[in-house]
Amino acid sequence: MTDVQTNCSKDNIPQEKLTIPKLLQSLINYPTAKHYSVAPLFTKGEVIHVAAPVGNDGGVAEVLRFISGLRIRLIPMAKEEIEKLIERDYPAQDKTMVMGPQAQDVRAFAMLDLSRFISKTTLLNIPDSSDVVEVVNNIIGNALYKKASDIHFEPFEDKMIIRFRLDGMLHEMIRLPEKRQAEIISRLKIMAQMDITERRRPQDGRMQVSFGNETIDVRVSTLPTSYGEKMVLRLLNNRKAPLSLSELGFDDKRLTAFHKCIKAPYGMILVTGPTGAGKTTTLYSCLNHIKAPAVNISTIEDPIEYKMEGINQSQVKADIGYDFAAALRTLLRQDPNVIMVGEIRDRETAEIAIRAALTGHLVFSTLHTNDAVSAIARLIDMGIEPFLLSSALSLIVAQRLVRRICPSCKQPAILSHDLLSEQDFKGLNAFEGKGCAECNETGFSGRIGLFEVLPVSEALRGMITGKAPIKELKRQAIEEGLVTLRMDGVKKVASGKTALGEILRETFEQ
């Protein structure tokens, strides 16, 4: 437990004791002391008495405790006096050390194998007396074991709720007392090398953890709320092998159309859908399918979610002006054959990507639209000329992710009369998961994609150039054999791959 005292005064300490002993200089080094404006003065037992600026709220004590391994007691002192002590007592050679006080400690911890911190029960059981390090290890270790994509730490008036996102759905895993909130968030901030003393503004950080033979990248985000900071951890296994296109959920007919377009020498292929629909996974699968020693494939991403051998991957850095548009302009001077742009967010990026597709490059990218045809309207709304768009587009894929029924507890489902009376579901034989230990009692295990694959035919090109309304474009696409998201979902329900409730949640037919 951190010991923070704020009512003590330096006036109680004899002036001759206002020095920084060499032993304490090794525990709290110069970069740390300089960064946080603190001066370790003396020890009593296992407590370091540290001078800190007047009004310090104690957050820095958590950092110092983690670095030193000892309890910390803060003594208020004017910042100017602390700075004088630091510059006077630390030797000159220490002042050349690189800033990043806890970096080595964090890396050493972050690469600990969390595989032993797992529980096969549905809910976590962490004793209130557990040390904060053990609490955090247990939560992250169990999230990795259960294949969670995100961990939510949510503060409330009298408790902190921890939820895991499993197969796209949030599940509450444990409730901890409110008194543990500050130390858990502080611990995670230290691991992610974030500013532990900043609680008023959102922050972003990163760390890595080891789980078995896998290295997991963790993106960390904080958000101030009325009851404290909410934190979300996104777990990314960036060395996980991309799925094959057939594993994603394409049927044979649409897989043939997909293969034809992604093996073309040029053109634009768009994957659309909301956040969390698996668009990036589909793009990585495409790149993995076509990569070869003779093909120069380059990507622009934010962030790089999976690292792929044989592909040049670049991450945007908006804070220095290296955004998608700037990166794409540079990439075109790198002699690429295939380009993947993580997302088209603005007109400039769209124009450069389309120009690339028209000048002999195969371009992959994503958009946020509800269906395949809407991607055309979205790009026109951005200011892209229809005649350019019609020439560049080769294929548009809209997709959603739905949960797979657990094979261990799958059983026939009984549908209501109202559902069976709907045109889409007449005569439908459906299935559901009863819930078992294998699926954490959810009835689902893993996810599968729903796809709407729209090759841009000559007829559609002419309609786009002629500025035909979206409804007419969709009618033409269906006449050419377009299988909508709802239709694909119904097929997967009938084959026992997913449940009807998943289709109703993710699709809508106008």
Side-chain angles (χ1 to χ4, degrees):
M1 190 78 177
T2 304
D3 189 352
V4 180
Q5 181 171 318
T6 58
N7 59 359
C8 181
S9 169
K10 77 173 182 64
D11 296 331
N12 298 328
I13 307 170
Q15 286 294 323
E16 62 269 18
K17 287 195 175 182
L18 289 179
T19 59
I20 304 175
K22 290 195 178 299
L23 174 62
L24 297 186
Q25 291 177 19
S26 64
L27 289 175
I28 298 175
N29 61 25
Y30 175 80
T32 303
K34 189 73 174 174
H35 181 69
Y36 293 108
S37 295
V38 295
L41 300 177
F42 60 91
T43 60
K44 282 187 179 180
E46 294 186 353
V47 179
I48 305 178
H49 292 246
V50 179
V54 176
N56 189 286
D57 63 2
V60 70
E62 288 290 341
V63 179
L64 301 180
R65 182 175 75 91
F66 175 64
I67 293 170
S68 67
L70 298 174
R71 295 165 63 197
I72 302 295
R73 176 165 292 180
L74 298 183
I75 302 172
M77 185 183 291
K79 186 175 181 179
E80 296 76 15
E81 293 187 41
I82 295 173
E83 294 290 342
K84 289 178 183 177
L85 276 173
I86 293 170
E87 295 303 326
R88 184 194 71 191
D89 290 357
Y90 279 95
Q93 62 266 27
D94 287 3
K95 296 174 184 177
T96 62
M97 296 172 67
V98 178
M99 187 59 224
Q102 67 270 33
Q104 290 183 344
D105 299 289
V106 170
R107 277 197 296 271
F109 169 79
M111 295 315 297
L112 285 176
D113 188 354
L114 300 180
S115 301
R116 66 186 181 90
F117 296 99
I118 61 173
S119 168
K120 294 186 179 181
T121 59
T122 302
L123 299 178
L124 303 187
N125 181 19
I126 300 175
D128 288 347
S129 59
S130 299
D131 177 79
V132 64
V133 173
E134 186 178 354
V135 171
V136 170
N137 288 355
N138 267 293
I139 292 170
I140 299 177
N142 276 283
L144 294 170
Y145 172 71
K146 296 177 185 293
K147 296 185 171 66
S149 60
D150 303 84
I151 310 173
H152 290 240
F153 296 83
E154 300 173 323
F156 293 94
E157 185 175 8
D158 59 350
K159 58 186 170 290
M160 169 179 265
I161 296 177
I162 288 90
R163 297 196 289 172
F164 293 174
R165 188 173 293 281
L166 305 170
D167 294 330
M169 302 292 286
L170 281 171
H171 297 267
E172 183 178 320
M173 303 307 296
I174 192 172
R175 296 186 176 201
L176 296 175
E178 183 273 337
K179 64 183 180 182
R180 308 228 60 175
Q181 172 189 327
E183 62 178 357
I184 290 172
I185 296 299
S186 294
R187 175 62 176 168
L188 288 164
K189 279 185 173 182
I190 289 170
M191 291 169 63
Q193 300 189 54
M194 299 160 75
D195 186 351
I196 197 171
T197 63
E198 178 57 77
R199 298 182 176 91
R200 300 167 300 168
R201 296 185 179 90
Q203 293 189 69
D204 294 299
R206 302 182 78 100
M207 59 180 166
Q208 283 190 331
V209 295
S210 177
F211 189 74
N213 296 322
E214 298 179 337
T215 299
I216 311 297
D217 277 342
V218 183
R219 297 208 317 261
V220 184
S221 172
T222 65
L223 176 73
T225 73
S226 56
Y227 293 114
E229 289 179 287
K230 178 188 174 184
M231 180 176 278
V232 177
L233 274 57
R234 169 65 59 88
L235 309 176
L236 299 169
N237 185 350
N238 61 17
R239 289 170 177 81
K240 184 178 179 182
L243 297 173
S244 68
L245 292 174
S246 57
E247 288 177 302
L248 294 176
F250 289 100
D251 59 28
D252 291 342
K253 182 179 179 181
R254 287 180 296 172
L255 195 57
T256 300
F258 206 87
H259 280 159
K260 180 180 178 181
C261 291
I262 68 174
K263 289 192 172 181
Y266 57 84
M268 174 178 277
I269 296 171
L270 293 176
V271 181
T272 77
T275 301
K279 300 186 296 296
T280 303
T281 299
T282 298
L283 290 181
Y284 278 123
S285 298
C286 293
L287 298 183
N288 191 55
H289 185 78
I290 62 176
K291 71 176 183 179
V295 180
N296 179 8
I297 302 176
S298 298
T299 74
I300 306 164
E301 305 174 56
D302 183 24
I304 297 172
E305 293 192 15
Y306 302 101
K307 293 178 181 176
M308 299 181 66
E309 186 176 352
I311 292 177
N312 307 293
Q313 296 173 272
S314 179
Q315 180 166 322
V316 301
K317 296 180 177 64
D319 55 332
I320 61 171
Y322 186 65
D323 56 14
F324 279 114
L328 189 51
R329 280 194 297 269
T330 302
L331 199 57
L332 288 172
R333 296 192 289 270
Q334 292 284 311
D335 187 31
N337 300 110
V338 179
I339 299 170
M340 185 190 98
V341 184
E343 183 182 346
I344 293 178
R345 296 176 179 173
D346 52 53
R347 177 177 177 173
E348 185 179 12
T349 305
E351 286 179 339
I352 300 170
I354 285 173
R355 192 181 311 129
L358 291 171
T359 54
H361 304 89
L362 184 60
V363 179
F364 294 87
S365 193
T366 71
L367 275 176
H368 290 282
T369 63
N370 290 326
D371 58 20
V373 175
S374 296
I376 298 168
R378 178 82 179 95
L379 288 167
I380 292 174
D381 287 344
M382 282 185 179
I384 304 302
E385 291 291 342
F387 73 91
L388 290 175
L389 188 58
S390 65
S391 301
L393 279 177
S394 300
L395 181 77
I396 308 173
V397 178
Q399 71 178 68
R400 298 291 188 278
L401 284 179
V402 293
R403 293 179 292 176
R404 287 180 183 267
I405 296 174
C406 173
S408 299
C409 60
K410 184 167 74 171
Q411 62 183 18
I414 300 175
L415 303 183
S416 69
H417 181 269
D418 290 341
L419 278 175
L420 289 173
S421 65
E422 291 189 27
Q423 183 64 37
D424 290 341
F425 311 128
K426 282 184 178 179
L428 181 64
N429 292 318
F431 299 85
E432 63 184 2
K434 183 180 179 181
C436 65
E438 293 295 321
C439 60
N440 291 313
E441 303 298 334
T442 63
F444 297 94
S445 179
R447 290 190 286 178
I448 190 171
L450 305 182
F451 296 97
E452 192 174 283
V453 179
L454 177 62
V456 182
S457 65
E458 289 304 317
L460 284 171
R461 292 186 199 280
M463 295 176 72
I464 294 169
T465 302
K467 302 180 181 180
I470 289 299
K471 285 188 176 180
E472 290 185 19
L473 290 171
K474 189 160 188 176
R475 190 181 304 117
Q476 175 65 28
I478 292 174
E479 287 179 5
E480 293 179 5
L482 175 71
V483 176
T484 65
L485 289 167
R486 171 62 64 88
M487 293 161 64
D488 188 36
V490 171
K491 288 182 178 180
K492 289 183 168 73
V493 169
S495 64
K497 293 177 181 176
T498 189
L500 183 56
E502 294 292 292
I503 306 308
L504 294 172
R505 178 168 57 86
E506 291 291 344
T507 68
F508 174 71
E509 288 292 272
Q510 296 179 332

